[in-house]
Amino acid sequence: MAVDSAGHALRDRKVLIIDDDEVIRMALRGIFKKENCGVVEAGNGNAGVSLFRQEKPDIVITDILMPDKEGLETISEIRACDPHVKIIAMSGGGSVRDMGFLKLAGKLGANGTLHKPFRPDEILSLIGRLL
Amino acid sequence: MSLRGKNYSPEEQAELERLCGQLSEIFARASYGEDIVKAARIIGEISQCAYLPLWDTKRNALTTYLCLPPAHAPQQKLSRQGRMTMDLGMLGSAIAELEKLGRDGKKFFIVCPVRHETLYNQDSYKKYHMLCQGVAQEQRKFLILLMTHLQRDLPKTQAYWFVATLKNYCQQIFAEVPLGQKTDFLSLRNAGIDAVGVSIGGRDGSEQETIRLLNSFSAQARTGRIPAMFALEVPTLSLATSAVCAGFDCLAGSAIHGAVKNPDNIYRYRHEDLFAGLFERGLP
C-alpha cells in the first residue's frame, strides 16, 4: 500500500542520490527509474550540495560516510538551502564501528533514515510516508 | 595546512635557526645528570611548543596532548642537528608541563614525538636518554613517547631495544608510520609498541584514496594484533568520521580541536561534539 502510494507520489519528481559507492547509486537509480522518477547523482557531499542547488530535487537521499564532505555536513547545508526538501540519510555504519550517525542525521534535519542494506520496498515505503 | 609540514618565510627560518642555536648551546654545556634536567627546564620555557588534544574515540574524551614543535620550526628544512635539538626541546617542554601537572593536580597524558634518527645517533641518543632520566618517577605514567620517521626496514632488534630502554621512562610507546607504506605490524607489536598510527595532514591525492588507505591500514594493523591505532592531523569531518568507523582509537587535528598553548586536563568529547559547529548553526 505504502509502496503504491510512493509510486504515485514519485511520478515526475526528481531525486538526488549522494553516495560514493557507485553500486548503491546504480541500484537506487534502477528503483527510481521504474517509478518514472527523475534521478540525478553525486559521488560526494560537495558535488551533492552543488547539484542540489542546480537541480532543485524534491527528495535527497544521502550516505553518511563519504569523502569530500560527509553526510551530516551535507544534510546541514542542504537543509539550510531548503527547509522543505525531503531528506533521507542512509548508512551501513563503518567497516569496524557504527557510531550512530543516523541518529545525528535526524537531529540535523533528515526526515527519515535507513540502515544499509535495505530492500527497494523499504525506501519506497519511507518515501511514501514522507511525500 | 599541515601542522607539522608548514611552509616558512625566510624570517621564520632565521628565527628558528636562532632558537636551535640557543638550544644546541644549552645542550652542549649540559653534559650530565642535573645539568641536562636544568637545560630541559630552560628549553621547556623557550621552545614555545604547542599541544594538540587527542580524542580517545572509545572513552569519549580528550585525554592526551600531542607536543608539537615550536610554531616556527620548519622541520623539513632543519639540519640533522636542528632536528635532534627540536626532539630534545619537545621532551624538555613535556617535562616542564608534567611538572606543572604534578603541582596543579590535573590529569592528562602527553605524547612526545622523537625521530628515529635521534634515537639511532649515539650522541643524541645519550642526551635524549639522560633527559628521559629527568622525568620524575611519579610523572612517567603520564608520558607517552611517539617514535616518528622510522626507517622503512627498521631492524627488529633495534625496535625492540628502543622500546625496552625507553619504556623505563614512560607509560607507553607509540609509532608513527607513513600511510600507504607496507608496515610490519607484527614486528612492531612484538617489540612492545602500544599503538601505531599515521599522519594524514598535507597529503596529496583525493580524500577517497585517503579513506581507502585508512581502511586498509586498520585491517592490517588488526591482523598484526596492534593494540591501538591513531590518526594525526585529521583535517576534515569526512576523514574524521571515516577514521572512527574504520576503528581508529585516537584522532587529532583541526577537525577535532585546534592546538593549545598548554595541556589542560581531560575533557568529555563524544562523537556528537565533532559536529558541534553544525548544531550551532541550527535548523532553519
Side-chain angles (χ1 to χ4, degrees):
Chain A
M1 186 77 170
V3 177
D4 284 348
S5 64
H8 291 300
L10 273 169
R11 190 156 301 152
D12 302 325
R13 304 262 195 162
K14 196 186 282 179
V15 178
L16 166 61
I17 303 165
I18 312 172
D19 198 313
D20 59 327
D21 187 337
E22 207 179 327
V23 176
I24 298 280
R25 291 205 309 269
M26 196 173 70
L28 287 172
R29 191 194 315 141
I31 294 170
F32 294 122
K33 289 278 183 195
K34 263 190 193 169
E35 304 295 334
N36 296 315
C37 179
V39 177
V40 283
E41 298 170 32
N44 62 54
N46 278 334
V49 173
S50 300
L51 206 54
F52 176 82
R53 291 196 174 110
Q54 282 170 32
E55 298 282 340
K56 303 268 185 276
D58 305 287
I59 303 156
V60 177
I61 299 168
T62 181
D63 188 23
I64 298 292
L65 293 177
M66 292 185 292
D68 304 312
K69 193 166 287 173
E70 45 65 56
L72 297 181
E73 269 182 296
T74 304
I75 290 168
S76 173
E77 285 194 22
I78 290 176
R79 184 54 78 215
C81 291
D82 184 343
H84 306 295
V85 65
K86 303 298 178 194
I87 303 176
I88 295 172
M90 56 182 177
S91 175
S95 57
V96 176
R97 257 192 284 173
D98 183 352
M99 299 294 286
F101 290 125
L102 284 180
K103 273 187 193 164
L104 292 180
K107 289 183 189 172
L108 283 165
N111 304 93
T113 59
L114 278 173
H115 285 276
K116 287 183 195 169
F118 49 81
R119 295 187 311 274
D121 63 299
E122 287 180 84
I123 192 159
L124 291 175
S125 137
L126 175 58
I127 290 172
R129 287 199 300 273
L130 294 179
L131 290 176
Chain B
M1 184 175 64
S2 164
L3 282 164
R4 292 190 288 171
K6 187 182 163 188
N7 290 321
Y8 292 85
S9 67
E11 293 76 24
E12 286 172 318
Q13 173 97 19
E15 170 63 12
L16 178 82
E17 294 298 342
R18 190 194 60 74
L19 179 66
C20 280
Q22 216 175 336
L23 298 177
S24 293
E25 267 177 41
I26 292 168
F27 270 110
R29 285 199 301 269
S31 305
Y32 295 101
E34 281 185 15
D35 276 359
I36 289 282
V37 179
K38 269 187 210 162
R41 288 209 178 96
I42 298 167
I43 288 165
E45 299 267 316
I46 65 175
S47 285
Q48 298 171 329
C49 293
Y51 288 84
L52 192 61
L54 258 87
W55 172 32
D56 184 328
T57 63
K58 286 182 180 153
R59 293 193 178 87
N60 289 318
L62 300 175
T63 55
T64 307
Y65 293 81
L66 169 70
C67 185
L68 299 170
H72 35 255
Q75 294 264 319
Q76 70 275 36
K77 289 184 185 170
L78 280 178
S79 64
R80 190 173 173 177
Q81 181 64 37
R83 292 193 297 269
M84 288 178 209
T85 306
M86 273 302 119
D87 282 351
L88 293 162
M90 282 192 282
L91 183 54
S93 170
I95 290 174
E97 291 298 338
L98 287 169
E99 281 179 355
K100 273 194 243 164
L101 170 146
R103 284 199 301 271
D104 301 348
K106 290 181 176 173
K107 274 190 182 171
F108 52 76
F109 298 91
I110 291 181
V111 178
C112 191
V114 53
R115 285 172 174 257
H116 172 253
E117 65 182 346
T118 299
L119 301 174
Y120 187 69
N121 175 281
Q122 211 174 4
D123 178 54
S124 57
Y125 173 74
K126 196 173 144 191
K127 285 181 170 159
Y128 200 82
H129 188 226
M130 281 194 280
L131 200 46
C132 283
Q133 289 171 324
V135 183
Q137 194 74 40
E138 65 275 16
Q139 285 151 14
R140 291 179 186 178
K141 62 184 172 200
F142 300 112
L143 178 65
I144 296 164
L145 293 177
L146 165 63
M147 296 202 297
T148 68
H149 301 83
L150 296 177
Q151 68 185 53
R152 195 177 172 144
D153 300 311
L154 180 69
K156 288 175 190 175
T157 48
Q158 207 183 87
Y160 186 85
W161 186 77
F162 286 152
V163 174
T165 314
L166 294 176
K167 263 210 174 158
N168 293 314
Y169 309 106
C170 63
Q171 178 70 11
Q172 292 192 325
I173 297 195
F174 291 2
E176 182 185 322
V177 297
L179 185 61
Q181 182 180 295
K182 192 171 168 10
T183 300
D184 185 350
F185 289 105
L186 207 54
S187 292
L188 291 173
R189 169 64 183 145
N190 290 340
I193 294 285
D194 298 286
V196 181
V198 292
S199 180
I200 54 178
R203 272 184 61 80
D204 292 332
S206 66
E207 276 203 358
Q208 193 156 24
E209 174 63 2
T210 304
I211 291 169
R212 189 188 67 74
L213 291 172
L214 287 172
N215 281 314
S216 162
F217 177 93
S218 167
Q220 288 171 43
R222 277 179 285 124
T223 306
R225 293 188 289 121
I226 292 296
M229 293 176 288
F230 60 87
L232 306 177
E233 300 189 57
V234 182
T236 63
L237 286 175
S238 42
L239 287 173
T241 51
S242 295
V244 170
C245 291
F248 279 76
D249 303 274
C250 285
L251 302 186
S254 54
I256 291 107
H257 202 293
V260 293
K261 204 173 165 192
N262 303 96
D264 180 26
N265 241 335
I266 289 173
Y267 292 102
R268 167 77 46 205
Y269 191 97
R270 290 159 303 183
H271 65 277
E272 293 97 298
D273 295 316
L274 264 182
F275 304 99
L278 303 183
F279 284 110
E280 276 162 22
R281 213 185 289 163
L283 293 176

